[in-house]
Amino acid sequence: MAKTLVIVESPAKAKTIKKYLGSGYDVVASKGHLKDLPKNQNAVDVANDFTEKYEVIVGKEKVLQELKDAAKKVDAVLLATDPDREGEAIAWHILEEIQDDKLRVERVEFHEITKKGVDHGVQHPRPLDINLYDAQRARRVLDRIVGYDVSALVWSKLAFGLSAGRVQSVALRLIVDREREIEAFVPEEYWNVSAGLSAPSGAAFVAKLAAAEGEKFEVKNGETAAFVRADLESASCKVAKVTRREQKRNPPAPYTTSKLQQDATNILHFGTKRTMQVAQGLYEGVDLKQDGGPVGLITYIRTDSTRVSDDAIAEVRQAIEKRYGKSFVPDKPNVYKSKKNAQDAHEAIRPTDVNIHPESVKKHLKDEQYKLYKLIWNRFVASQMTPAVYDRTTVEIQAEPTRGDASRKSYMLRSTGRVLKDKGWLEVTEGQRDFAGEEDAAADGEAPEPTAAAKAAPVEEDSDALLPEMNEGDVIRLSTTPGVVTEQKFTQPPPRYNEGSLVRELEKRGIGRPSTYAEIISKVQQRAYVEKLPGGAFQPTQLGKFVVEGLVRSNLDFMDPNFTAQMEEELDEVGAGKIKREQLLKKFYKRFRQQLEPAKKLASWKPPSEKTGIPCEECGEGEMIKKWGKNGYFLSCSRYPKCKATRDLSNSAQAVRETDITCDKCGKPMVIRTGRYGDFLSCTGYPGCKNARPVPLGVACPQCGGDIIEVRPRKKGGRTFYGCSNFNAEQKCDFKLWAKPVATPCPTCGAKFLTRTAGKKPMLVCATKDCGFKQEVPEEDEAGLAGAAPEGAAAGDEGEGGSAEADAPSEPKAAPKAKAEPKPAPKAEAKPKAAAKTAEKKGATKTPSKSKSNGRASA
């Protein structure tokens, strides 16, 4: 009974922490959330101060029992879940389950998984924070209210099985609004005019047209460009003004979560979810083969603060002097201010030990771990180095046309060049030029406000070259080559968002928090509301546009980015104890219901059907009607349901579809490919990694939490069924169904999935005993439910850190075509037992009757 039990979230983190704490402690993992709201309308009692009814997550019963058993063997428990409001909620739920009058339970925080960080956390325990827990509870209830009620609205107005989320829908609106801007954009013609000139020394340089007759001048058409060109070719030129000054480029602050995600997208081409997965591994610990155990390489990864501890600053200043020289160390440490609404609960993301150089541990890291660690290390070291210094020279050339019919009396040409005089912090960035957040960089306080002259001056592109020596009054000659050059251009529409720029926009508007960005972006892709184009840009699908247009027409407050940002601030105030949880929820819910009821009475959001005049080839009597379903436009016979002839008109089907599933062999993302046996999961590392396996249907097994897959019989004439992917695991699961499960919660009992029955009238049926929910599949959804691509992962909501479960189903998304086509996945045999038991508490799930045939997993 002398030991202390430490409970963390991740098994990998538990292993690292155990090494530092020694024999006096037992360290176990909760593996994320243990309790969550059940999937039904009774999970939140609105009339009773929004009281929640939490239940143990299916599949987590064994983990919870192990924690209870471990707690009975000790006198003290330290709850060391992640230091954020999701971690606080997990700690509270564990406390509720293990609480005992004789047991001392305290909360500790590990901001870095190092000997120093772990010892500091253990030596500074605190009581559990009820305000922080209330903030998480409020966020969870808000997401549940919106997730259920608004998804039901979308179902009724657009298509069954669709979903909407409180924050995800706002992010989708930003993408759709940007697409509307692009569609409405009308290019405007303009011309660039430049001249090749020779300095008195004979050295050549180029100057661009900036003004005419003392005023800013823009060339809008070819006719004007021709006049200007003729004027300049006849002009006499002299130097009107030379400005020489030293220009400093301050280093950016160390990484916050959003800035790390932006640079990882733009520099490393990592998606936000992948970035957070790799960063989580670096935080939890990597075995460097030095002292027999893993080492946490970076500090906590979910932060909006640029603050760094005094010890870390002292350490990095010493490291800079040792590696780069004393001249690279500023006289005083660089200080950075966090953004206005930052919670500032954690330090910036930095190496736990700056003396662990990326190159020294490269052989112990996976390639993506090395790249991300190097990015973090470089940024942190650069943040405490001297500014880069340039010699910047600007020369203004006065050109006076000599031809008699000149359109202007005088022109001003400008040339700007700069040369790097002192590399400063650029010494560590290895040629990388642009960094997220650099525009906010200000060492030793805030950046000075630009002068009025600087604001009025036109933006010129600096040439990274030194201009030839010139002085005011010097005569300048026009070079024969290239002479005066006029180049036609057209204004460009605003660029589409990619993952990095969308994170930047969400942060700028105050939508979401560091722990939610990756999950928000993941959801808009999973639900087929956007497509990722080659190069990574997001383009909304027609379905995504219809969802946003319908929700905006419904005048729901949460679709307003400003309202959502204000809600995030109020959740922060709940966490700080300034607002009561019930106060926030009552205020939101009252107005939400007032807006939702009129929205239910609006007309359908679907585009009207159109006659095509095309005769039906199948029955010869009907006419094909163009209709819209959630999988796109299609043609349907006018005699439906007597004639079920259809033809797909969408072009969304692609050979490869991205997923959020990672390869269990090499850790790279997996994609869905189609082979001779149908769809299968294939590693993107092919042919280096040939791992392949059946595609999950996006439905969790109610018996063990595994993935449900389609299982085809080995013998000819056998019947296809749907079973758990763990049928061949160490602890075999024998759950199976004859009807195909669909990742849509039951609107009556809240069961996590419905099943689709075949027949003349396909039906969606709840598999829970005594529920009785049935609904005929609408014509426009029939083809999609019958043959829709399986989802890449189980649905999730906008929970922070991806720990909470789904409130509404997600959808598959298309992906760019892959270069290589691997072999189909190996056939996996399944031997399901008869009449499999289920883990549903409120009724037995219907399962197939006894079958003598063996099955074969489709790959």
Side-chain angles (χ1 to χ4, degrees):
M1 296 291 285
K3 285 191 174 182
T4 297
L5 179 66
V6 180
I7 300 177
V8 298
E9 290 184 43
S10 160
K13 191 193 301 185
K15 185 178 179 181
T16 309
I17 292 171
K18 174 64 178 173
K19 178 189 73 171
Y20 294 128
L21 290 178
S23 59
Y25 295 84
D26 280 336
V27 185
V28 295
S30 71
K31 300 179 182 178
H33 278 272
L34 293 172
K35 298 166 73 174
D36 195 18
L37 300 177
K39 299 287 181 176
N40 58 58
Q41 297 283 12
N42 299 323
V44 179
D45 188 349
V46 175
N48 188 24
D49 286 338
F50 299 88
T51 304
E52 313 97 310
K53 178 186 177 184
Y54 281 98
E55 291 182 358
V56 177
I57 297 171
V58 174
K60 288 296 188 76
E61 297 88 352
K62 184 179 178 181
V63 176
L64 179 57
Q65 189 59 51
E66 289 173 352
L67 295 183
K68 288 181 178 180
D69 293 342
K72 292 176 182 177
K73 301 175 183 178
V74 298
D75 295 321
V77 174
L78 299 180
L79 300 174
T81 48
D82 285 351
D84 55 24
R85 61 192 184 195
E86 288 296 311
E88 203 72 16
I90 296 172
W92 273 95
H93 291 160
I94 294 173
L95 175 64
E96 290 170 355
E97 295 294 327
I98 68 171
Q99 198 163 25
D100 188 297
D101 292 339
K102 298 179 181 178
L103 188 65
R104 177 170 59 87
V105 181
E106 294 178 305
R107 178 82 163 97
V108 298
E109 294 183 351
F110 298 144
H111 295 276
E112 58 183 73
I113 312 301
T114 60
K115 176 66 174 173
K116 182 177 71 173
V118 171
D119 286 345
H120 182 272
V122 171
Q123 292 167 12
H124 296 83
R126 63 167 175 81
L128 273 76
D129 189 335
I130 186 63
N131 294 324
L132 205 57
Y133 178 37
D134 277 349
Q136 190 275 344
R137 292 171 62 200
R139 194 275 308 164
R140 191 73 186 93
V141 170
L142 285 172
D143 288 346
R144 169 55 60 90
I145 291 171
V146 174
Y148 265 49
D149 290 344
V150 178
S151 292
L153 176 67
V154 178
W155 292 0
S156 66
K157 299 298 180 185
L158 197 56
F160 186 80
L162 296 179
S163 61
R166 181 178 61 88
V167 183
Q168 162 234 318
S169 298
V170 181
L172 177 61
R173 179 178 181 177
L174 296 179
I175 296 172
V176 171
D177 285 351
R178 176 59 58 86
E179 192 68 20
R180 295 301 188 204
E181 288 182 57
I182 294 171
E183 292 170 351
F185 183 81
V186 178
E188 293 183 6
E189 180 184 9
Y190 70 97
W191 290 70
N192 282 337
V193 180
S194 61
L197 303 171
S198 293
S201 63
F205 67 102
V206 175
K208 293 182 178 181
L209 177 66
E213 297 180 338
E215 296 182 355
K216 184 178 179 180
F217 183 59
E218 295 179 355
V219 179
K220 295 288 189 179
N221 53 59
E223 183 180 5
T224 304
F227 277 113
V228 171
R229 179 173 181 169
D231 288 351
L232 292 177
E233 286 175 340
S234 71
S236 61
C237 303
K238 67 177 181 179
V239 177
K241 186 178 181 182
V242 179
T243 304
R244 297 181 180 90
R245 66 183 179 91
E246 189 177 81
Q247 182 185 40
K248 289 186 178 181
R249 184 180 174 189
N250 289 323
Y255 278 127
T256 59
T257 301
S258 69
K259 299 301 187 290
L260 176 63
Q261 291 172 343
Q262 291 170 48
D263 273 354
T265 296
N266 298 326
I267 297 173
L268 304 181
H269 308 293
F270 288 1
T272 52
K273 193 161 189 175
R274 183 183 177 195
T275 299
M276 297 308 287
Q277 289 172 341
V278 176
Q280 185 74 25
L282 294 172
Y283 164 68
E284 292 178 349
V286 178
D287 192 352
L288 302 181
K289 310 295 183 183
Q290 294 177 351
D291 53 1
V295 176
L297 291 178
I298 61 174
T299 54
Y300 190 58
I301 60 174
R302 297 182 180 95
T303 178
D304 54 9
S305 173
T306 58
R307 177 175 55 83
V308 175
S309 70
D310 292 341
D311 289 345
I313 289 177
E315 185 181 76
V316 71
R317 285 169 64 85
Q318 292 175 3
I320 292 169
E321 181 174 350
K322 182 178 179 181
R323 178 171 288 272
Y324 301 104
K326 192 172 183 178
S327 63
F328 287 89
V329 184
D331 294 336
K332 298 186 299 179
N334 294 332
V335 178
Y336 301 90
K337 287 189 176 182
S338 297
K339 60 189 177 110
K340 182 179 178 181
N341 60 342
Q343 293 177 297
D344 212 39
H346 315 295
E347 285 190 58
I349 302 172
R350 61 170 177 82
T352 56
D353 184 352
V354 74
N355 295 306
I356 301 179
H357 192 275
E359 298 302 325
S360 70
V361 294
K362 182 177 181 179
K363 62 182 179 180
H364 303 298
L365 303 178
K366 297 176 182 177
D367 182 58
E368 56 189 5
Q369 289 179 321
Y370 164 72
K371 289 178 179 178
L372 194 65
Y373 179 62
K374 185 177 182 180
L375 196 68
I376 294 168
W377 192 93
N378 285 354
R379 174 88 166 214
F380 176 59
V381 172
S383 72
Q384 288 300 323
M385 295 178 75
T386 54
V389 181
Y390 295 87
D391 276 333
R392 188 173 189 269
T393 303
T394 300
V395 178
E396 294 181 358
I397 311 294
Q398 183 176 342
E400 296 182 350
T402 58
R403 70 187 189 115
D405 58 346
S407 59
R408 301 287 189 284
K409 293 181 179 179
S410 67
Y411 295 91
M412 192 267 282
L413 306 173
R414 180 184 290 119
S415 182
T416 301
R418 67 176 186 176
V419 176
L420 184 62
K421 183 171 71 173
D422 186 348
K423 293 183 73 174
W425 65 277
L426 295 177
E427 180 74 23
V428 79
T429 61
E430 302 175 356
Q432 295 165 5
R433 294 177 60 88
D434 300 316
F435 298 87
E438 190 181 345
E439 65 276 7
D440 303 324
D444 294 321
E446 297 186 59
E449 177 71 15
T451 63
K455 288 179 180 179
V459 177
E460 295 289 334
E461 293 182 7
D462 290 352
S463 170
D464 287 325
L466 187 65
L467 291 176
E469 186 66 31
M470 287 176 280
N471 297 298
E472 291 183 15
D474 284 350
V475 176
I476 304 298
R477 292 185 299 105
L478 179 68
S479 301
T480 305
T481 304
V484 179
V485 177
T486 56
E487 184 180 13
Q488 185 186 33
K489 295 281 188 177
F490 291 92
T491 55
Q492 296 297 310
R496 292 185 174 97
Y497 291 112
N498 63 13
E499 293 201 27
S501 60
L502 183 57
V503 167
R504 181 172 66 246
E505 188 68 17
L506 292 172
E507 182 188 36
K508 176 183 174 182
R509 291 173 176 263
I511 299 169
R513 286 295 180 260
S515 55
T516 65
Y517 297 137
E519 199 66 21
I520 292 169
I521 290 174
S522 175
K523 290 310 157 199
V524 297
Q525 294 179 78
Q526 283 181 9
R527 292 171 179 171
Y529 294 156
V530 301
E531 292 177 335
K532 186 179 279 190
L533 303 176
F538 288 140
Q539 183 176 36
T541 62
Q542 193 66 52
L543 175 61
K545 291 179 180 179
F546 286 155
V547 169
V548 168
E549 288 167 1
L551 290 174
V552 171
R553 280 203 307 270
S554 299
N555 292 317
L556 299 169
D557 277 345
F558 76 88
M559 287 300 293
D560 180 356
N562 294 328
F563 177 86
T564 302
Q566 181 184 347
M567 182 62 66
E568 293 291 350
E569 292 180 4
E570 291 180 0
L571 285 170
D572 291 342
E573 290 182 351
V574 173
K578 297 178 181 178
I579 297 179
K580 291 295 183 182
R581 165 186 167 277
E582 298 82 4
Q583 178 184 349
L584 181 149
L585 292 174
K586 287 179 180 178
K587 176 184 174 184
F588 172 84
Y589 188 73
K590 180 180 180 182
R591 182 163 175 78
F592 177 68
R593 296 305 306 182
Q594 290 173 346
Q595 295 173 333
L596 189 64
E597 293 308 316
K600 293 178 180 179
K601 301 174 184 178
L602 295 177
S604 172
W605 302 350
K606 299 177 186 178
S609 299
E610 300 175 20
K611 293 183 178 182
T612 64
I614 302 173
C616 175
E617 296 178 357
E618 189 164 316
C619 71
E621 299 179 25
E623 175 188 357
M624 300 303 284
I625 307 297
K626 182 180 178 182
K627 297 184 177 182
W628 184 87
K630 67 177 181 179
N631 296 304
Y633 283 100
F634 67 101
L635 294 180
S636 172
C637 181
S638 59
R639 296 181 66 243
Y640 179 88
K642 289 183 178 180
C643 177
K644 295 185 178 181
T646 60
R647 188 193 308 169
D648 183 24
L649 295 179
S650 67
N651 297 314
S652 60
Q654 298 192 34
V656 177
R657 285 153 285 166
E658 292 181 355
T659 75
D660 286 327
I661 300 172
T662 54
C663 177
D664 54 351
K665 298 288 174 61
C666 70
K668 291 185 178 179
M670 300 194 82
V671 294
I672 297 174
R673 300 181 187 273
T674 302
R676 59 184 295 191
Y677 298 106
D679 290 339
F680 65 98
L681 281 176
S682 171
C683 180
T684 53
Y686 181 89
C689 176
K690 297 182 179 179
N691 185 27
R693 62 179 193 260
V695 179
L697 299 178
V699 176
C701 173
Q703 190 160 294
C704 73
D707 294 317
I708 300 295
I709 59 174
E710 181 178 351
V711 183
R712 298 181 181 178
R714 176 187 297 179
K715 295 182 180 179
K716 186 176 181 180
R719 186 178 172 187
T720 297
F721 65 92
Y722 305 90
C724 181
S725 59
N726 289 331
F727 64 84
N728 209 20
E730 184 177 344
Q731 293 183 343
K732 300 181 185 299
C733 177
D734 55 10
F735 176 81
K736 65 177 183 177
L737 292 166
W738 289 126
K740 182 176 181 178
V742 179
T744 298
C746 174
T748 301
C749 72
K752 296 182 180 179
F753 61 87
L754 299 173
T755 59
R756 181 190 180 277
T757 62
K760 292 184 178 179
K761 289 187 176 181
M763 304 287 290
L764 288 176
V765 180
C766 182
T768 304
K769 186 178 179 181
D770 300 329
C771 174
F773 172 80
K774 287 185 180 181
Q775 177 169 318
E776 186 175 345
V777 179
E779 177 193 1
E780 58 267 28
D781 295 338
E782 184 176 335
L785 289 173
E791 297 185 11
D797 70 355
E798 285 138 0
E800 302 179 16
S803 23
E805 289 194 348
D807 283 340
S810 62
E811 296 287 345
K813 69 182 181 68
K817 197 170 185 178
K819 294 180 181 178
E821 174 67 30
K823 296 178 181 179
K827 298 177 181 179
E829 292 192 19
K831 297 180 179 180
K833 296 179 181 179
K837 298 179 180 179
T838 70
E840 298 288 349
K841 295 182 178 180
K842 293 187 177 181
T845 304
K846 298 173 185 178
T847 57
S849 58
K850 189 172 183 179
S851 172
K852 293 181 181 179
S853 64
N854 289 336
R856 184 179 302 275
S858 171

